[in-house]
Amino acid sequence: MRLILILIPIFLFAKTDWFITKLEYGKMLYNNPRGISCAKCHGEKAEGKIIAKYYILKNKHKILKILKTPDITNISFEKFQKKLFHKNLSVMPKYDYLTNKEISAIYLYIQSISRNKK
Ligand code: HEC
């Protein structure tokens, strides 16, 4: 009896790893990476979208500027990972707290969107 009591928590813990697939995990993180959602700026399907429109004045002329995020469904893993840890001044926040496992899950998810597009 005592053995069973010890085994139950171990079994439950081991099971949580399989509760959702890596793809679902990636989708969840893409939408909620413990920070600003990637989807908010890059779009539901990571295809990129317009996030701001503004005007600047140049020689007394109003010039419309459009800030659009790039499509991120077709980039290498190295580039993807590097961007999350970027140190440059950018509209995009840093996500340097994400673990390797989380990053590869998000990457897997956006790659799956790209495959579905074709
Ligand atoms: C506040 C808006 C915003 C959010 C939130 C955001 N991004 Fe970005 N992202 C941008 C913008 C703008 C660019 C393009 C300009 C630049 O590179 O700084 C970009 C560029 C990128 C690039 C580089 C693409 C290329 O071709 O060079 C990747 C990869 C990327 N984002 C992934 C993500 C992921 C993954 C998340 C969520 C964890 C995320 N972004 C969240 C705005 C955002």
Side-chain angles (χ1 to χ4, degrees), residues 4-115:
I4 292 171
L5 286 177
I6 293 166
L7 280 177
I8 287 171
I10 294 171
F11 178 69
L12 285 177
F13 184 71
K15 224 178 148 149
T16 54
D17 221 27
W18 303 101
F19 193 62
I20 54 172
T21 66
K22 190 172 178 184
L23 208 63
E24 288 168 332
Y25 185 49
K27 183 178 184 179
M28 191 190 88
L29 283 166
Y30 179 73
N31 288 292
N32 185 15
R34 282 182 272 117
I36 308 172
S37 160
C38 315
K40 275 239 158 75
C41 287
H42 288 277
E44 218 48 63
K45 302 245 169 301
E47 71 281 35
K49 66 175 207 179
I50 293 170
I51 53 173
K53 282 184 183 170
Y54 57 96
Y55 288 97
I56 56 161
L57 270 180
K58 205 170 181 181
N59 302 326
K60 291 184 180 155
H61 290 289
K62 248 165 89 175
I63 298 165
L64 175 67
K65 288 276 182 182
I66 295 174
L67 183 60
K68 192 179 179 298
T69 52
D71 184 325
I72 53 167
T73 57
N74 261 318
I75 60 169
S76 70
F77 182 73
E78 288 69 37
K79 200 173 173 187
F80 179 73
Q81 193 173 32
K82 220 170 145 192
K83 186 66 197 176
L84 298 176
F85 288 82
H86 78 84
K87 291 188 177 69
N88 306 324
L89 185 68
S90 167
V91 174
M92 180 169 147
K94 260 192 304 198
Y95 293 91
D96 52 5
Y97 50 82
L98 292 174
T99 65
N100 286 339
K101 202 176 159 189
E102 290 170 330
I103 293 169
S104 71
I106 302 174
Y107 187 72
L108 185 83
Y109 172 62
I110 61 171
Q111 287 297 298
S112 81
I113 303 176
S114 126
R115 276 193 300 274

